[in-house]
Amino acid sequence: MTSPKISFASIKCKFLEINKAHGGYFLFVRVNEAIDIDKVHQNREKFQLNFIKGTDCGQKELMNLENYKHLSRYIRLSFSYLTVEGLKEAGKAFIDLIEYCEIKN
């Protein structure tokens, strides 16, 4: 039995850059500066989502170093136990959350 092919190319949001997973069931997503990243983390449960901050994916002592500061704009999304339908629903909820957290000028 083969796994269903999932295309992330159909997920469109001007605020995100999605990197292809290499060997795992997760993605690192960079959220651009037009989004209040703290608001994203504070509101994830409101959108029934759970994900990890990029800064939680490494040694705490290193996160303040210049080489790692960019991780504060990243989110680690795991999808190892989701069906294709579950992925579609989660993707939609994630885009809704990101757009909800847009910084209005």
Side-chain angles (χ1 to χ4, degrees), residues 58-98:
Q59 292 177 268
K60 293 287 181 211
E61 310 82 54
L62 299 177
M63 291 304 112
N64 289 327
L65 297 177
E66 195 60 38
N67 288 348
Y68 298 95
K69 285 188 177 185
H70 68 283
L71 292 176
S72 66
R73 301 294 316 168
Y74 280 79
I75 293 172
R76 183 181 184 267
L77 300 176
S78 175
F79 55 91
S80 57
Y81 296 106
L82 291 176
T83 63
V84 173
E85 283 306 310
L87 269 175
K88 289 178 184 177
E89 289 176 30
K92 169 98 173 72
F94 186 67
I95 297 301
D96 291 346
L97 168 62
I98 295 299

Side-chain angles (χ1 to χ4, degrees), residues 4-100:
K5 297 288 183 197
I6 299 166
S7 171
F8 291 99
S10 63
I11 298 174
K12 302 283 186 203
C13 183
K14 65 183 177 180
F15 305 113
L16 303 173
E17 173 187 313
I18 301 173
N19 297 315
K20 182 179 176 185
H22 296 282
Y25 291 98
F26 59 88
L27 298 169
F28 278 96
V29 177
R30 184 185 172 281
V31 180
N32 77 25
E33 290 74 17
I35 301 300
D36 182 338
I37 194 72
D38 293 328
K39 189 175 178 182
V40 169
H41 293 296
Q42 292 164 2
N43 286 281
R44 62 185 171 205
E45 289 180 13
K46 179 178 185 172
F47 287 80
Q48 299 179 339
L49 295 167
N50 189 15
F51 45 78
I52 300 172
K53 295 178 181 181
T55 53
D56 289 346
C57 296
Q59 292 177 268
K60 293 287 181 211
E61 310 82 54
L62 299 177
M63 291 304 112
N64 289 327
L65 297 177
E66 195 60 38
N67 288 348
Y68 298 95
K69 285 188 177 185
H70 68 283
L71 292 176
S72 66
R73 301 294 316 168
Y74 280 79
I75 293 172
R76 183 181 184 267
L77 300 176
S78 175
F79 55 91
S80 57
Y81 296 106
L82 291 176
T83 63
V84 173
E85 283 306 310
L87 269 175
K88 289 178 184 177
E89 289 176 30
K92 169 98 173 72
F94 186 67
I95 297 301
D96 291 346
L97 168 62
I98 295 299
E99 291 176 348
Y100 175 79

